[in-house]
């Protein structure tokens, strides 16, 4: 994007700090607003609809199907309703903090979009410390959650806020360590650099680069699920215990902001996992120019959306963990294992140089392992479907 | 006055103004949350000094780590809701007098007496590669010493936590 702005300034023949800085400022503001309007809002809206539909199918219900074809405009109706609702602030709440908290949560997640790539050239800012930046800016989220929990002056909210903060700062460690293993393998912290260090074929992805990164993928994914407060780690808003956790007292647009942030987080998680392990926008060299960019965008979005689907799928199939189980999983399993991962990746890189024949063979073997694991999973699903003995299966999502 | 100067003023205000809330607020929780804006503003000032890595580190460590820890401490403190636990205002006039005299002396000596060298504006270059190389070559000893200190702290924390269980 910076090159685009540079070219724009050059083409107009503007000189002087004033013009250049103003163009940069307005340009970046324009990109931020465009990103919010074109990518974030429609995405979060449509995912909110998709999640409800998928959840409904998994529970033998229909789900929202009235607004627009198959209910796809449900999110617009919901948003409109939230704007029209009264902005209720409890009398005993801390007014300033109560009103500020949703913005803080939203800023933390929206800030992450600044470095998320969409294709090779389509990225707002390719920061040199991009992976680091994502971790840093999303650490504003637990603060916003504590703020909302405390300011609501409600025991459920406070419990939810505290649980969430404890959970997020705990799971930041395995997430950061697993990402560190990827950074070791890529030799850069820039998200675009990490993608460039991979290739288009699965054997070139970091997921299958070595056995340690293969397991690291799962640690990173689980840790990110926990950081995003998604089931099986949705203790902060556990409906059966805490009403709605930290967002209990919120209504109208402020509540919508929390929900917007939650679904925006789905995309952030999915695309960071995609960048780090699944090769990002890498496509086979079959096109160039605009076609290539479009192809890269499609590939990147497709991989991310598959991951988003997996996250939704996990939410509606697994039960919630207890607080002690959640902490146990993090501190006794994920943290030591991800330390082992960093060490193992470093040792592997010394023994098996990048691009060597042994490395290629190991990658392809790991691809085979991955394929056979998904094959076994498919067989298991088929057997379960056969054994389920339900009268009729509603597998058509549009019925 | 360039747009960036305006930004600098805004950032400086964002750093300094909440600092007053931190010092003078009657509520500990408000102080802790005001600290958030001060820390983020400082990260912005680091960004202005072309220290991109330091700016990100500031947010990650101070906002994401230390501030959350402070908030945990504050929220678990009993009687946090009563204003009695905030700093009191005693001997207001003498303190103001001493502060004003000190400020005047320092302003005359440091602000007017010394001609500060002004560094040339450099293009913002990524600092992370240079920092990494320096940390692992020239400054390896402090780096390793810091990690030993951190390990000691970790073991100490585990030891303290275990004692209560027995």
């Amino acid at each position: 994007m910076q090159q685009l702005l540079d070219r724009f300034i050059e083409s107009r023949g503007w000189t002087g700090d004033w013009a250049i800085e103003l163009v940069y400022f307005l340009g970046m503001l324009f990109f931020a607003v465009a990103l919010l309007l074109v990518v974030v809002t429609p995405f979060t809206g449509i995912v909110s609809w998709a999640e409800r539909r998928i959840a409904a199918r998994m529970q033998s219900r229909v789900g929202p199907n009235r607004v627009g074809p198959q209910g796809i405009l449900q999110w617009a109706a919901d948003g409109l309703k939230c704007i029209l609702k009264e902005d209720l602030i409890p009398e005993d709440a801390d007014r300033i903090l109560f009103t500020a908290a949703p913005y803080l949560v939203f800023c933390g997640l929206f800030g992450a979009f600044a470095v998320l790539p969409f294709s090779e050239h389509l990225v707002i800012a390719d920061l040199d410390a991009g992976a680091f930046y994502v971790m840093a800016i999303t650490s504003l989220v637990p603060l916003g959650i504590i703020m909302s929990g405390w300011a609501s002056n409600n025991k459920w909210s406070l419990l939810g806020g505290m649980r969430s903060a404890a959970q997020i700062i705990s799971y930041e460690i395995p997430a950061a360590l697993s990402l560190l293993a990827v950074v070791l393998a890529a030799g850069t912290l820039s998200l675009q650099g990490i993608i460039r260090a991979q290739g288009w074929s699965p054997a070139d992805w970091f997921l299958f680069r070595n056995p340690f990164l293969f397991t690291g993928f799962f640690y990173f994914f689980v840790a990110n699920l926990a950081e995003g407060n998604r089931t099986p780690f949705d203790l902060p808003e556990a409906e059966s215990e805490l009403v709605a956790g930290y967002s209990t007292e919120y209504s109208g647009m402020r509540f919508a902001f929390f929900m917007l942030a939650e679904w925006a987080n789905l995309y952030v998680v999915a695309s960071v996992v995609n960048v780090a392990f699944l090769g990002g926008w890498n496509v086979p060299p079959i096109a160039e120019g605009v076609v290539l960019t479009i192809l890269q965008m499609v590939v990147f979005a497709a991989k991310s959306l598959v991951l988003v689907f997996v996250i939704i799928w996990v939410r509606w199939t697994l039960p919630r963990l207890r607080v002690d189980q959640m902490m146990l999983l993090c501190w006794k399993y994920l943290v030591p294992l991800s330390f082992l991962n960093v060490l193992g990746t470093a040792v592997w890189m010394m023994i098996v140089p990048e691009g060597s024949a042994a490395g290629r063979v190991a990658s392809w073997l790991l691809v085979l392992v991955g394929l056979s694991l998904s094959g076994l999973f498919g067989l298991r699903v088929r057997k379960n479907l056969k054994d389920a003995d339900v009268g009729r299966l509603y597998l058509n999502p549009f019925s | 006055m360039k747009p960036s100067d305006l930004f600098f003023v805004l950032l400086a205000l964002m750093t300094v103004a909440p600092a007053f809330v931190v010092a003078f607020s009657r509520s500990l929780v408000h102080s802790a949350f005001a600290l958030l804006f001060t820390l983020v503003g400082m990260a912005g000032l680091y960004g202005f000094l072309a220290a991109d890595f330091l700016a990100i580190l500031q947010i990650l460590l101070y906002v994401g780590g230390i501030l959350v820890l402070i908030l945990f401490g504050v929220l678990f403190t009993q009687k946090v809701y009563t204003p009695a636990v905030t700093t009191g205002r005693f001997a207001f006039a003498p303190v103001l007098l001493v502060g004003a005299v000190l400020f005047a002396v320092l302003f005359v000596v440091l602000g007017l007496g010394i001609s500060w060298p002004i560094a040339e504006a450099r293009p913002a270059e990524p600092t992370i590669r240079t920092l990494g190389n320096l940390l692992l070559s020239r400054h390896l000893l402090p780096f390793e010493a810091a990690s030993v200190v951190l390990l000691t702290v970790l073991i100490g924390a585990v030891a303290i936590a275990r004692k209560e269980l027995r």
Side-chain angles (χ1 to χ4, degrees):
Chain A
M1 288 299 149
Q2 202 181 348
Q3 292 92 331
L4 207 70
L5 286 178
D6 282 338
R7 221 178 296 163
F8 178 74
I9 293 166
E10 218 170 281
S11 70
R12 291 299 161 99
W14 286 340
T15 48
D17 295 340
W18 242 107
I20 289 171
E21 278 182 5
L22 205 64
V23 167
Y24 267 123
F25 172 62
L26 291 178
M28 284 298 165
L29 205 64
F30 173 76
F31 288 134
V33 172
L35 193 71
L36 186 64
L37 288 180
V38 177
V39 182
V40 182
T41 316
F43 174 83
T44 51
I46 288 170
V47 163
S48 76
W49 165 78
E51 170 148 25
R52 288 161 73 182
R53 287 289 293 199
I54 293 167
R57 297 316 300 172
M58 286 184 180
Q59 299 170 340
S60 295
R61 297 184 282 117
V62 179
N65 67 346
R66 291 286 145 192
V67 194
Q70 291 296 327
I72 197 163
L73 291 176
Q74 182 68 40
W75 60 281
D78 286 346
L80 209 63
K81 185 187 168 192
C82 277
I83 292 175
L84 293 176
K85 278 214 163 196
E86 187 191 350
D87 177 24
L88 206 70
I89 300 175
E91 199 176 302
D92 286 338
D94 192 314
R95 278 193 81 92
I96 306 169
L97 295 183
F98 188 85
T99 46
Y103 302 117
L104 205 60
V105 172
F106 185 73
C107 281
L109 282 169
F110 184 56
F113 277 87
V115 291
L116 291 182
F118 296 96
S119 82
E120 190 172 0
H121 301 294
L122 206 61
V123 57
I124 302 281
D126 179 18
L127 282 190
D128 212 48
F132 212 55
Y133 169 83
V134 172
M135 307 229 58
I137 201 79
T138 48
S139 67
L140 284 177
V141 175
L143 277 169
I145 289 175
I146 298 181
M147 196 187 265
S148 65
W150 189 82
S152 299
N153 201 2
N154 174 325
K155 285 198 176 76
W156 289 315
S157 299
L158 187 60
L159 275 176
M162 296 299 251
R163 276 189 188 184
S164 171
Q167 180 175 323
I168 292 176
I169 54 176
S170 301
Y171 277 87
E172 230 166 45
I173 299 166
L177 284 172
S178 314
L179 200 59
L180 185 64
V182 171
V183 170
L184 267 183
T188 173
L189 270 168
S190 140
L191 290 184
Q192 296 284 60
I194 291 174
I195 296 177
R196 279 195 196 97
Q198 306 175 64
W200 62 269
S201 85
D204 292 329
W205 297 350
F206 280 145
L207 173 60
F208 300 117
R209 181 60 60 87
N210 64 46
F212 298 101
L213 283 178
F214 184 68
T215 48
F217 167 76
F218 296 100
Y219 307 152
F220 189 61
F221 194 66
V222 170
N224 265 317
L225 278 188
E227 276 195 64
N229 296 333
R230 296 289 297 189
T231 322
F233 303 100
D234 68 338
L235 299 146
E237 42 194 312
E239 297 93 343
S240 48
E241 319 166 15
L242 298 178
V243 188
Y246 52 84
S247 54
T248 305
E249 297 284 2
Y250 283 87
S251 64
M253 211 49 205
R254 292 187 202 284
F255 180 73
F257 260 84
F258 277 115
M259 290 293 115
L260 200 68
E262 187 181 329
W263 279 304
N265 185 50
L266 276 190
Y267 184 78
V268 173
V269 167
S271 49
V272 171
V273 173
N274 179 4
V275 164
F277 290 98
L278 297 180
W281 39 251
N282 275 309
V283 288
I286 48 169
E288 50 185 44
V290 183
V291 184
L292 180 71
T293 300
I294 292 172
L295 214 59
Q296 284 172 336
M297 281 170 73
V298 169
V299 165
F300 190 87
K303 286 174 184 170
S304 296
L305 289 182
V306 167
L307 282 171
V308 167
F309 174 72
V310 171
I311 297 173
I312 293 175
W313 179 15
V314 165
R315 173 167 183 182
W316 296 102
T317 35
L318 291 185
R320 183 182 308 132
L321 266 70
R322 283 201 319 263
V323 178
D324 61 323
Q325 289 170 334
M326 185 262 291
M327 283 293 168
L328 185 94
L329 177 71
C330 177
W331 290 104
K332 285 201 177 160
Y333 297 100
L334 287 184
V335 169
L337 281 173
S338 44
F339 265 118
L340 200 72
N341 250 338
V342 175
L343 206 66
T345 308
V347 172
W348 182 278
M349 282 172 69
M350 282 177 69
I351 297 174
V352 186
E354 209 183 314
S356 66
R360 301 292 300 169
V361 171
S363 293
W364 280 110
L365 278 179
L366 276 170
V367 172
L368 274 181
V369 169
L371 280 179
S372 40
L373 276 179
S374 14
L376 280 175
F377 178 72
L379 286 177
R380 179 79 203 187
V381 169
R382 210 176 71 176
K383 183 175 173 297
N384 280 357
L385 281 182
K386 226 196 281 175
D387 292 351
D389 193 33
V390 283
R392 201 171 137 210
L393 274 174
Y394 297 95
L395 286 179
N396 177 13
F398 300 114
S399 63
Chain B
M1 187 90 170
K2 293 179 295 187
S4 59
D5 293 342
L6 196 70
F7 268 117
F8 176 78
V9 171
L10 281 177
L11 266 177
L13 271 180
M14 184 179 158
T15 315
V16 174
F20 282 99
V21 181
V22 175
F24 295 120
S25 170
R26 306 283 292 167
S27 147
L28 265 180
V29 180
H30 281 186
S31 295
F33 278 118
L35 198 58
L36 163 74
F37 294 97
T38 303
L39 293 172
V40 172
M42 276 178 70
L45 291 180
Y46 283 139
F48 251 98
L49 294 171
D52 56 344
F53 185 68
L54 204 59
I56 294 172
L57 208 63
Q58 166 87 8
I59 291 186
L60 187 68
L61 285 187
Y62 281 86
V63 177
I66 290 173
L67 191 57
V68 172
L69 217 60
I70 290 177
L71 274 169
F72 262 98
V74 168
L75 291 183
F76 279 129
T77 310
Q78 295 216 319
K79 295 181 192 164
V80 70
Y81 300 97
T82 55
V85 282
T86 58
T87 48
R89 287 188 200 159
F90 59 90
F92 192 65
V95 169
L96 197 70
L97 190 73
V98 172
V101 169
L102 256 178
F103 178 78
V105 169
L106 285 176
F107 186 75
V108 170
V109 174
L110 293 179
L112 305 175
I114 301 172
S115 60
W116 294 94
I118 297 172
E120 275 176 43
R122 278 173 302 172
E125 279 169 4
T127 52
I128 184 161
R129 192 167 287 276
T130 332
L131 260 176
N133 282 336
L134 277 177
L135 267 182
L136 287 180
S137 58
R138 217 182 130 192
H139 303 290
L140 187 62
L141 188 65
F143 181 71
E144 292 291 332
S147 68
V148 171
V149 170
L150 282 178
L151 187 67
T152 322
V153 169
L154 273 178
I155 295 172
V158 170
I160 291 172
R162 275 181 73 89
K163 233 176 211 167
E164 281 175 20
L165 266 179
R166 274 188 208 140

